[in-house]
Amino acid sequence: MTSDSATAATRRTVRAYHEDRFRGDVTMAAAQIGEGFGFRSPFITSDSPTGHLDGLDGLLGIVTGVELISELYGETEATLVYDVHTVPAVGITQHTAEHFRLDDGRITSITLIFDSGPWQAIMFAAGPTNGEATTRA
């Protein structure tokens, strides 16, 4: 595979994951995940292809849109920068960066970076998650 086609494959995989996740399609998002997967964010860590998506319905219930700001792709990694807009009652526009590593065309790690401060009260009210592989950080 040439460098250009590897980068294009990375883009297809990462964009499919991103779009499926924000559409609420956990099955399709998880289909982009490869062996040895790991996820890390300010709130959770997970080694499960779906554990990091636990509670997605709750998040999507308050999200009004996702605005992609920048996308950077390489042969085995990608970074997306985007804003997550929420309903007026929540009033958060979350600036977010997400770094992906890939192996053999599948996502093997995701690091989600954002200021968790605005979400502390919401996460506290939501209580613990039910995912075995998911823990609060």
Side-chain angles (χ1 to χ4, degrees):
M1 186 179 301
T2 68
S3 179
D4 287 345
S5 60
T7 300
T10 295
R11 183 182 189 283
R12 280 191 302 276
T13 299
V14 168
R15 284 301 297 271
Y17 170 86
H18 178 77
E19 291 167 10
D20 291 338
R21 180 182 56 183
F22 281 108
R23 213 177 22 252
D25 192 336
V26 171
T27 301
M28 291 302 293
Q32 307 306 317
I33 304 296
E35 293 293 319
F37 176 74
F39 177 87
R40 189 177 65 197
S41 81
F43 289 117
I44 64 172
T45 59
S46 176
D47 59 3
S48 165
T50 58
H52 69 291
L53 297 169
D54 287 348
L56 182 62
D57 288 343
L59 174 65
L60 294 179
I62 62 170
V63 169
T64 59
V66 177
E67 179 184 355
L68 193 58
I69 297 168
S70 179
E71 9 178 13
L72 304 168
Y73 299 99
E75 291 181 28
T76 60
E77 66 181 321
T79 301
L80 301 182
V81 178
Y82 53 91
D83 283 343
V84 177
H85 302 281
T86 63
V87 295
V90 174
I92 297 172
T93 294
Q94 183 65 63
H95 306 295
T96 306
E98 195 165 17
H99 183 260
F100 300 83
R101 293 211 180 272
L102 293 86
D103 184 34
D104 199 25
R106 293 285 175 247
I107 299 167
T108 56
S109 77
I110 300 173
T111 302
L112 188 62
I113 303 163
F114 60 90
D115 175 9
S116 65
W119 296 96
Q120 296 293 333
I122 294 169
M123 294 300 290
F124 181 77
T129 62
N130 294 327
E132 284 183 30
T134 305
T135 58
R136 292 190 184 260

